[in-house]
Amino acid sequence: MASTVGQVIKCRAAVAWEAGKPLVIEEVEVAPPQAMEVRMKILYTSLCHTDVYFWEAKGQTPVFPRIFGHEAGGIVESVGEGVTELAPGDHVLPIFTGECKECPHCKSEESNMCDLLRINTDRGVMIHDGKSRFSIKGKPVYHFLGTSTFCEYTVVHVGCVAKINPLAPLDKVCVISCGVSTGYGAAVNVAKPPKGSSVAVFGLGAVGLAAAEGARASGASRIIGVDVNPSRFEAAKKFGCTEFVNPLEHEKPVQEVIAGMTNGGVDRSVECTGNVNAMISAFECVHDGWGVAVLVGVPHKEAEFKTHPLNFLNERTLKGTFYGNYKPRSDIPSVVEKYMNKELELEKFITHSLPFSEINKAFDYMLKGESLRCIIHMDG
Ligand SMILES: NC(=O)c1ccc[n+]([C@@H]2O[C@H](COP(=O)([O-])OP(=O)(O)OC[C@H]3O[C@@H](n4cnc5c(N)ncnc54)[C@H](O)[C@@H]3O)[C@@H](O)[C@H]2O)c1
Ligand SMILES: [Zn+2]
Ligand SMILES: [Zn+2]
């Protein structure tokens, strides 16, 4: 096979030309990686609700044409100047939020909000030169979350790449690159439910179910799944949910229903819906004195969180997290090892698979609430 190093690669991408319109498989040109960048061949990608929000662009900044996708697994094709820790052939997960390893956040044990590479949903270009690495007939196509995995090859900053065990099956561990780590980490790293505690999880998609799984792994004994889609409830039992509440079935606000079930409130809650009212409920359903609520869902651009200040004075804590507080380069290889050691099951998050040519169906599955994760095979 002729080497592609230093060359422009022509390959297929699923391009979003307009908000809410089906993606179109196009031939794109992918420029070689520049300083501190990595070009990787994507083998598998999946769809997360964050892709759908920005594609719909109803409550988010529209940036088009754009290549979406941020949950994926692949192999390094070539590296740019200054990249020493990755080499062609390495198995990697691209991550939507990065770790430069040098800034105060990267040096802090408490933060993964890297100054240089933290999630930026509106930027459509690379940091190095403010340009896109993708083009069609000379016209730029924009990046999404610095990952753009709905393309056979993509260019990512080295700080947004986790090098993983080459024996790990990429068609499974790709879900660690966003959804599973986000939810699992939100529970184990941020909510930290004590043994025997009660936890409410709002939104039982892959992120919420990973949070339930994390709550169970932490020793929570009651895990209350909250969703407006009751078809989620049966599957959620496999992720540790012990009880269910459908807010639509109650006259009272769901926080009051939960308080009634738990003698005043749950010990912890994790919100994984993106709906601001669910965020407020998730906060108001935790017990006073010690309850902690963790927000994970990506809200509408203009959303405002409204609650009475007394809810805080009564000693409740509200937190939020990106990527479950994991640092992508330092922490994610060991999350992959959890799967390899059978401490973390991934198969149950994967409900569908599709060839790349049918990627639009994955959007339908998610919008209809039928899928958790749909794995898209880039060779199909
Ligand atoms: N913070 C982060 O780092 C991060 C990372 C990944 C995803 N996310 C966000 O997490 C959320 C979940 O992502 P996903 O891929 O699991 O999505 P998903 O669509 O698969 O699941 C969301 C679930 O929430 C339910 N839901 C919606 N509104 C609700 C409400 N008002 N009350 C109760 N349930 C409700 C839906 O029925 C669905 O089952 C999204 O907002 C996504 O953007 C955040
Ligand atoms: Zn995601
Ligand atoms: Zn940093």
Side-chain angles (χ1 to χ4, degrees):
M1 207 175 72
S3 170
T4 44
V5 175
Q7 312 287 315
V8 167
I9 294 180
K10 285 189 181 179
C11 65
R12 291 182 305 156
V15 177
W17 289 100
E18 278 181 70
K21 294 276 164 62
L23 309 185
V24 183
I25 304 285
E26 304 274 7
E27 185 180 82
V28 295
E29 301 199 324
V30 184
Q34 301 301 304
M36 301 310 279
E37 294 174 358
V38 177
R39 187 163 61 181
M40 66 177 77
K41 182 176 169 58
I42 299 293
L43 298 184
Y44 302 96
T45 184
S46 42
L47 182 63
C48 165
H49 212 126
T50 309
D51 297 303
V52 177
Y53 291 139
F54 285 84
W55 164 75
E56 288 180 319
K58 288 180 186 159
Q60 315 293 350
T61 310
V63 178
F64 294 95
R66 203 171 203 188
I67 298 173
F68 287 103
H70 63 281
E71 198 175 276
I75 295 179
V76 174
E77 174 269 340
S78 62
V79 300
E81 199 191 316
V83 176
T84 52
E85 63 191 74
L86 287 170
D90 284 345
H91 286 218
V92 289
L93 304 181
I95 316 285
F96 67 85
T97 194
E99 180 186 0
C100 77
K101 294 197 173 177
E102 282 163 20
C103 75
H105 290 274
C106 288
K107 288 190 170 149
S108 158
E109 283 186 10
E110 294 181 318
S111 170
N112 68 345
M113 296 300 292
C114 174
D115 275 335
L116 182 68
L117 299 168
R118 66 170 63 180
I119 181 173
N120 182 326
T121 56
D122 296 345
R123 187 174 54 226
V125 294
M126 298 306 287
I127 291 173
H128 175 66
D129 56 2
K131 292 192 180 138
S132 174
R133 301 285 171 265
F134 301 111
S135 58
I136 297 181
K137 299 191 181 105
K139 294 236 167 71
V141 178
Y142 296 107
H143 295 247
F144 177 60
L145 297 185
T147 50
S148 291
T149 59
F150 297 163
C151 188
E152 290 173 311
Y153 286 87
T154 191
V155 178
V156 179
H157 192 285
V158 65
C160 301
V161 181
K163 178 176 166 178
I164 62 161
N165 183 342
L167 299 176
L170 288 169
D171 60 338
K172 306 289 185 308
V173 296
C174 61
V175 296
I176 288 176
S177 120
C178 178
V180 170
S181 308
T182 295
Y184 195 84
V188 302
N189 299 333
V190 190
K192 298 185 181 160
K195 281 209 166 44
S197 61
S198 57
V199 179
V201 176
F202 285 69
L204 303 175
V207 176
L209 292 174
E213 192 65 55
R216 171 161 68 180
S218 305
S221 58
R222 287 183 77 183
I223 303 175
I224 303 173
V226 182
D227 203 301
V228 289
N229 174 0
S231 73
R232 295 285 200 211
F233 295 162
E234 191 48 43
K237 291 180 186 164
K238 281 191 280 177
F239 298 82
C241 288
T242 55
E243 291 146 84
F244 298 97
V245 178
N246 179 351
L248 303 178
E249 283 175 2
H250 298 269
E251 301 261 307
K252 284 196 278 191
V254 62
Q255 50 272 48
E256 288 177 27
V257 176
I258 293 172
M261 291 163 71
T262 53
N263 203 15
V266 280
D267 302 312
R268 300 287 185 270
S269 73
V270 187
E271 176 281 329
C272 308
T273 71
N275 178 296
V276 71
N277 294 317
M279 295 179 185
I280 295 166
S281 302
F283 174 57
E284 294 182 355
C285 80
V286 299
H287 208 286
D288 57 7
W290 60 77
V292 179
V294 178
L295 306 187
V296 176
V298 173
H300 192 286
K301 202 167 62 169
E302 271 134 34
E304 285 183 12
F305 187 100
K306 206 171 156 202
T307 193
H308 198 281
L310 258 186
N311 290 324
F312 291 97
L313 267 62
N314 288 339
E315 300 178 4
R316 293 183 183 87
T317 302
L318 179 61
K319 295 185 175 189
T321 173
F322 277 114
Y323 204 47
N325 275 29
Y326 285 118
K327 292 183 194 279
R329 293 206 272 182
S330 305
D331 299 336
I332 291 311
S334 65
V335 179
V336 169
E337 289 315 307
K338 268 185 180 295
Y339 169 74
M340 299 302 279
N341 300 332
K342 300 196 173 10
E343 292 162 46
L344 175 64
E345 200 190 319
L346 298 177
E347 286 76 2
K348 63 188 175 187
F349 289 96
I350 300 169
T351 53
H352 295 73
S353 74
L354 283 172
F356 187 38
S357 56
E358 295 181 31
I359 188 169
N360 287 299
K361 283 191 187 164
F363 284 67
D364 293 340
Y365 295 147
M366 180 158 272
L367 286 166
K368 288 186 187 145
E370 290 172 3
S371 60
L372 293 175
R373 284 301 192 250
C374 175
I375 305 295
I376 294 153
H377 295 238
M378 299 305 288
D379 61 359

